[in-house]
Amino acid sequence: MGNIMTCKINADTTDGLKLISDTSGEVDIQDNGTTRLTVGDTINIQGNELILDADGDTSIHASTDDQIDFKVAGADDFTITANAFNVLSGSTLNVNSGATIANSGTATGFGIIKQIVHASTTTQTGTTASSFQATNVTANITPSAAANKIIVMVSSSMYISAGGQQASGTIYRDSTNLGELNRGIVQFWDGGDVCQGDMSIMLTDHPNTTSAVTYALYIRKLSSGGATCYAGVDATPQFITLLEVQV
């Protein structure tokens, strides 16, 4: 046998399908002069697609350098690149019942709390105004990404100095009322005597910015009359906590 052995299988009038072996110890399977598969110490499919099922729509291929693509039902669902397993858009990574995900490294993109801002005050704020007025319950935060959400948690108290009066509290982001324009988020009313109650608010906001934003508790009178409504009673602590959540 010479240095090159050529074996034609079902050859046609063109170059046909060939098995070619040379002194390198490798066998090439060629189609019309193009090598489709090389077999030696390793099997090299030359970046071509390896079909896995009978109807030909589930496969593994590496047509992009340094990337393995997994196709299921005709669509690429997952890829592997250097040091990364990627779940493509529209695909789902399911963890079945009884399975466990164990992490010894760094997990990202799972609703991580990126930062926490906390502030407190014992300063009482009073107003007789019929429009929302800022209190001393306020904090600033600078989101690390515009897509991230901010969870706002406020704890205070409301006191109305006369009976038959109404008042309201809300949260502002800068100059934007995050509650209803006139009635805010929480309302207080007493038909006969003075009113005092808890004013706790929690909400999720999307400021859509990476610039600093200010969140604050605002209060207002909802009814006419000479009473004053207060945020914070008898120098009790009031709190505001901001959580930036990665999404």
Side-chain angles (χ1 to χ4, degrees):
M1 182 175 63
N3 291 336
I4 299 178
M5 177 186 70
T6 301
C7 176
K8 291 189 177 182
I9 302 176
N10 295 329
D12 56 21
T13 56
T14 61
D15 204 20
L17 179 65
K18 296 180 180 180
L19 293 178
I20 297 177
S21 177
D22 56 24
T23 56
S24 68
E26 294 181 342
V27 176
D28 293 336
I29 298 179
Q30 294 185 350
D31 175 31
N32 291 320
T34 300
T35 299
R36 304 297 185 183
L37 179 69
T38 300
V39 179
D41 292 336
T42 60
I43 298 176
N44 183 354
I45 65 172
Q46 305 290 339
N48 295 303
E49 196 166 7
L50 179 63
I51 305 298
L52 301 177
D53 65 350
D55 62 356
D57 62 359
T58 298
S59 64
I60 300 173
H61 65 93
S63 54
T64 301
D65 187 37
D66 298 327
Q67 176 176 306
I68 302 172
D69 297 84
F70 295 85
K71 181 186 291 184
V72 181
D76 284 346
D77 284 332
F78 309 97
T79 65
I80 295 177
T81 54
N83 304 313
F85 179 82
N86 309 292
V87 180
L88 303 184
S89 177
S91 301
T92 302
L93 181 64
N94 292 317
V95 180
N96 292 335
S97 176
T100 301
I101 296 179
N103 174 46
S104 299
T106 301
T108 61
F110 291 94
I112 292 173
I113 302 300
K114 299 291 290 184
Q115 59 174 313
I116 300 174
V117 175
H118 180 77
S120 64
T121 182
T122 57
T123 302
Q124 180 175 270
T125 303
T127 184
T128 59
S130 59
S131 60
F132 280 110
Q133 305 296 311
T135 71
N136 293 292
V137 184
T138 181
N140 302 317
I141 192 169
T142 302
S144 59
N148 291 349
K149 303 294 182 67
I150 305 297
I151 297 176
V152 182
M153 296 179 287
V154 167
S155 177
S156 182
S157 57
M158 173 69 79
Y159 171 70
I160 306 175
S161 64
Q165 299 289 298
Q166 298 181 63
S168 178
T170 193
I171 301 295
Y172 270 67
R173 182 209 328 121
D174 294 332
S175 60
T176 300
N177 184 352
L178 300 181
E180 198 276 331
L181 180 62
N182 294 308
R183 303 193 71 85
I185 298 174
V186 293
Q187 295 86 44
F188 299 84
W189 175 79
D190 195 311
D193 203 348
V194 295
C195 173
Q196 181 174 318
D198 173 68
M199 185 164 48
S200 295
I201 301 172
M202 183 170 70
L203 58 82
T204 300
D205 183 44
H206 182 204
N208 194 29
T209 184
T210 55
S211 299
V213 290
T214 300
Y215 290 92
L217 174 67
Y218 278 61
I219 59 173
R220 63 159 290 187
K221 284 281 300 300
L222 286 172
S223 56
S224 60
T228 301
C229 63
Y230 297 91
V233 180
D234 299 329
T236 54
Q238 305 168 78
F239 304 97
I240 180 169
T241 302
L242 308 177
L243 309 178
E244 180 189 0
V245 181
Q246 179 176 304
V247 296

